Amino acid sequence: MEGRRGNFDKVLKDFEARLRSAEFVALDTELTGVDIEGEPDSFEETPVWRLSKLCQVAERFTLIQVGLTIVRRVGEIGEGKHACASYNFFVFPHVGPELLGREPSFQSQAAALRFNAIHHVDFNAWISDGVSYMAREDEQRYLATGKDDPDIGSKTGMLRLWKVLCRAQLPIVVHCPIDLFFLLAAFERRSLPQDPKALASLIRRLTPKVYDTAHLHGVIGRFRHLGLTKFFDDAKAWHGKISLQGNGNGNCVEKVEFVLHGDTEKRYGMPSEQLAHEAGFDSLVTAQLFVYLRAIAPSQVREGSNRLFLYRSSEFLDLDRAFRGEEIGRSVFDLSRVTLLVAELDPSEREAPKLLWNSGYSTCRWIDPPHVVLVVLRASGGAAVRKAEALARQVRGVSSWKPFDVWRAERLRIRSGENVQAVDEKLAAVDSIHSIDVSSKAVAEAASEGALACMSQVPTAVEVADPASVAICGNSLSINFRWFGGVSASLFLFVTAIVQLWRRRRRMRRALASTICPTL
């Protein structure tokens, strides 16, 4: 169903009625921009850094369309029938005195506008007939003035639907987290909280569980394509295959069938390329993709709730941990079973990438093609050291091997724009953070030198010179204010990364020390 300013009340009534029996809601958006110029996503960025970038992008650009698909189960148990009702809204920020001088403004990327134009977005409809909206904080500020405004409903517009969705407290499904961040910036707060716990709490206002199909792509791990439409085709084909052959563990795979209601059947019943990247259609594809994934791997989907995908990263955002005040970033890999190395390649050795990919010891991902590769070594502890040694002998053309954490820390120092020595001097203020990353250090030495590293000098404990540093490690934000005062934001991000690495390295050192040197 198409929602515009003229028919919004009618569409909202239909949406609210269908929401009462819904199982979950899938979301999608079309936007005026999706990234920050000159700051492409990269493996060197920490999850906290990436969280900050997502907030900045959502605050800088704005919504063009919002798509929602309501899904509910129908028919008998076991039939796998799912009824879908999709909605496509053009939305445009409200402009008027009700905003008390805080008139909205936004940026647009030429590439994003061209992309939307190619996919038949009507920009005149967006501006002239888009449903008005304002953020919840703007509405509260206006209502606090005590003015009696009988037309406030049309001015808040899409915010009314957002409130209905929040009250329902249904699971929300997205494909990549950027849609979620834009909706929060549009309907909750124009300036999003960059503190992980505060942001996780804001998301909890909308939903107790959010599922990101992009994150599930890596968790389930048997699909070639990440793009929404091709990912959907892969999942549908895989579901059809295992429905006939079984899923390999003796369990039956749930049947999947979709019933499209009313206007959804008329508009989206016969998919075509022209519908791709209309927000309502993409929300329908996201919903159906999620149903297939849940049928294919139900336990992995359940465990994947409240985990958001990060593009070009070895980590994801864990909202549950952030809500508890813990680190928001978690590795997509099980670091008790694998070791992450970075191989910097000699450009003159053209066979090096092929040798790495075909080594049999690891899986590889490009970090910066064709020079830098993330090597996921399928071993940890002493076994990782031995495999690294063998890999170093087997692969020619690697100019250096580094533990991933060491490589990222070096890159963060470079991006901070400060001399390494100067950064080290400033970090001396928190020099009570002492640790040695035994496993990654040993593996890197084995890979670089082709010999087993000596493990006999593993420190027996992590010493803390100043008890106050424990509080600092537990709350990285306090470092910025308690220790560094006016130091630049880039250095703060770097220090935050170091604190996160310290936590991880302490856990890794203890586990590895107990494996290699049981007497410690």
Side-chain angles (χ1 to χ4, degrees):
M1 182 176 286
E2 182 89 349
R4 301 196 182 187
R5 186 176 301 174
N7 69 343
F8 178 68
D9 288 339
K10 175 184 176 182
V11 177
L12 176 60
K13 185 177 180 180
D14 184 87
F15 179 87
E16 192 167 5
R18 295 187 188 278
L19 200 64
R20 296 189 187 104
S21 58
E23 183 183 14
F24 68 87
V25 178
L27 304 174
D28 188 79
T29 62
E30 299 303 324
L31 311 164
T32 65
V34 294
D35 54 30
I36 299 175
E37 183 180 1
E39 297 186 30
D41 293 338
S42 67
F43 280 86
E44 64 202 54
E45 294 172 330
T46 66
V48 173
W49 191 326
R50 193 66 68 81
L51 176 69
S52 174
K53 284 178 61 177
L54 283 168
C55 291
Q56 291 178 54
V57 170
E59 294 163 5
R60 184 173 300 185
F61 303 102
T62 199
L63 301 165
I64 297 176
Q65 290 181 343
V66 174
L68 304 101
T69 293
I70 296 174
V71 180
R72 65 184 179 91
R73 289 183 181 266
V74 294
E76 298 296 327
I77 297 175
E79 289 183 345
K81 288 186 178 180
H82 297 78
C84 302
S86 299
Y87 302 82
N88 185 67
F89 295 91
F90 279 100
V91 295
F92 196 80
H94 174 71
V95 177
E98 297 80 12
L99 298 175
L100 306 178
R102 299 180 74 240
E103 184 170 319
S105 62
F106 57 84
Q107 297 182 16
S108 297
Q109 288 177 325
L113 297 183
R114 175 70 63 84
F115 176 86
N116 281 284
I118 290 173
H119 291 93
H120 313 288
V121 169
D122 186 340
F123 292 105
N124 285 324
W126 169 45
I127 297 172
S128 63
D129 205 19
V131 180
S132 294
Y133 68 89
M134 64 175 71
R136 195 190 297 258
E137 64 175 0
D138 289 325
E139 180 197 39
Q140 292 172 346
R141 189 176 290 108
Y142 176 60
L143 294 177
T145 63
K147 294 181 180 179
D148 183 17
D149 187 348
D151 199 30
I152 186 64
S154 65
K155 296 171 182 177
T156 57
M158 197 71 178
L159 177 61
R160 294 158 57 199
L161 184 145
W162 176 260
K163 289 180 178 179
V164 169
L165 189 58
C166 290
R167 285 196 296 270
Q169 286 290 288
L170 291 168
I172 298 296
V173 179
V174 297
H175 183 68
C176 297
I178 194 168
D179 299 311
L180 186 60
F181 280 75
F182 266 85
L183 294 173
L184 292 173
F187 302 125
E188 290 291 344
R189 293 176 52 177
R190 293 200 211 176
S191 180
L192 294 176
Q194 296 187 23
D195 171 66
K197 183 175 182 179
L199 185 74
S201 299
L202 191 61
I203 294 174
R204 284 287 179 95
R205 177 181 285 185
L206 167 64
T207 174
K209 291 186 182 295
V210 55
Y211 294 91
D212 183 352
T213 55
H215 172 73
L216 296 175
H217 176 279
V219 170
I220 299 173
R222 53 184 66 147
F223 306 106
R224 293 181 56 193
H225 302 98
L226 182 59
L228 177 60
T229 304
K230 291 186 177 181
F231 184 12
F232 168 78
D233 292 339
D234 288 348
K236 182 179 179 180
W238 182 257
H239 178 269
K241 180 179 179 179
I242 62 177
S243 295
L244 297 174
Q245 300 178 358
N247 61 5
N249 58 14
N251 297 326
C252 295
V253 179
E254 183 183 24
K255 296 179 181 178
V256 171
E257 182 180 345
F258 297 105
V259 178
L260 305 186
H261 279 305
D263 289 350
T264 307
E265 171 64 29
K266 293 178 184 178
R267 188 167 182 83
Y268 301 142
M270 296 294 292
S272 69
E273 292 185 3
Q274 289 188 348
L275 292 174
H277 300 293
E278 180 174 287
F281 177 75
D282 284 357
S283 72
L284 175 61
V285 176
T286 301
Q288 293 178 335
L289 169 61
F290 177 73
V291 171
Y292 278 121
L293 295 178
R294 189 174 59 180
I296 292 168
S299 61
Q300 290 171 299
V301 170
R302 283 194 299 271
E303 294 170 1
S305 67
N306 293 330
R307 298 177 178 184
L308 303 181
F309 171 78
L310 294 178
Y311 179 64
R312 290 182 60 79
S313 177
S314 63
E315 292 156 306
F316 62 87
L317 300 179
D318 189 325
L319 298 178
D320 288 335
R321 285 166 58 98
F323 187 75
R324 296 192 299 266
E326 302 172 15
E327 291 181 28
I328 193 170
R330 287 184 62 185
S331 177
V332 299
F333 304 103
D334 182 352
L335 296 179
S336 67
R337 297 185 177 184
V338 303
T339 300
L340 304 185
L341 298 176
V342 173
E344 297 184 344
L345 307 182
D346 182 348
S348 64
E349 292 286 350
R350 297 183 179 181
E351 292 297 312
K354 181 179 179 181
L355 292 172
L356 273 176
W357 258 262
N358 297 331
S359 67
Y361 294 107
S362 62
T363 56
C364 302
R365 298 183 182 182
W366 282 113
I367 291 179
D368 183 15
H371 305 300
V372 186
V373 178
L374 176 65
V375 180
V376 184
L377 204 61
R378 292 189 289 270
S380 61
V385 175
R386 292 188 290 274
K387 285 191 175 183
E389 180 186 25
L391 186 61
R393 289 195 299 263
Q394 182 177 337
V395 179
R396 302 181 308 275
V398 178
S399 57
S400 72
W401 296 89
K402 297 177 182 177
F404 174 75
D405 286 347
V406 172
W407 172 85
R408 180 159 70 177
E410 291 178 355
R411 296 298 304 171
L412 287 171
R413 291 186 181 192
I414 294 172
R415 287 187 66 164
S416 72
E418 297 194 42
N419 180 273
V420 173
Q421 182 177 355
V423 173
D424 285 338
E425 290 174 355
K426 291 177 181 179
L427 287 176
V430 285
D431 200 32
S432 53
I433 303 175
H434 293 302
S435 67
I436 294 179
D437 183 358
V438 179
S439 59
S440 58
K441 177 181 178 182
V443 172
E445 288 180 353
S448 298
E449 301 174 8
L452 287 174
C454 176
M455 293 291 180
S456 61
Q457 298 183 1
V458 179
T460 59
V462 177
E463 298 180 0
V464 179
D466 180 1
S469 65
V470 176
I472 294 169
C473 295
N475 183 359
S476 60
L477 186 62
S478 66
I479 295 175
N480 186 38
F481 298 102
R482 291 176 57 191
W483 289 86
F484 291 109
V487 176
S488 66
S490 59
L491 178 59
F492 167 60
L493 291 172
F494 171 64
V495 174
T496 303
I498 293 299
V499 172
Q500 292 173 337
L501 296 182
W502 174 80
R503 288 175 172 170
R504 183 181 304 161
R505 291 178 181 185
R506 184 175 63 171
R507 291 193 297 267
M508 292 175 63
R509 189 192 70 79
R510 288 176 175 172
L512 186 60
S514 62
T515 301
I516 300 175
C517 305
T519 59
L520 291 180

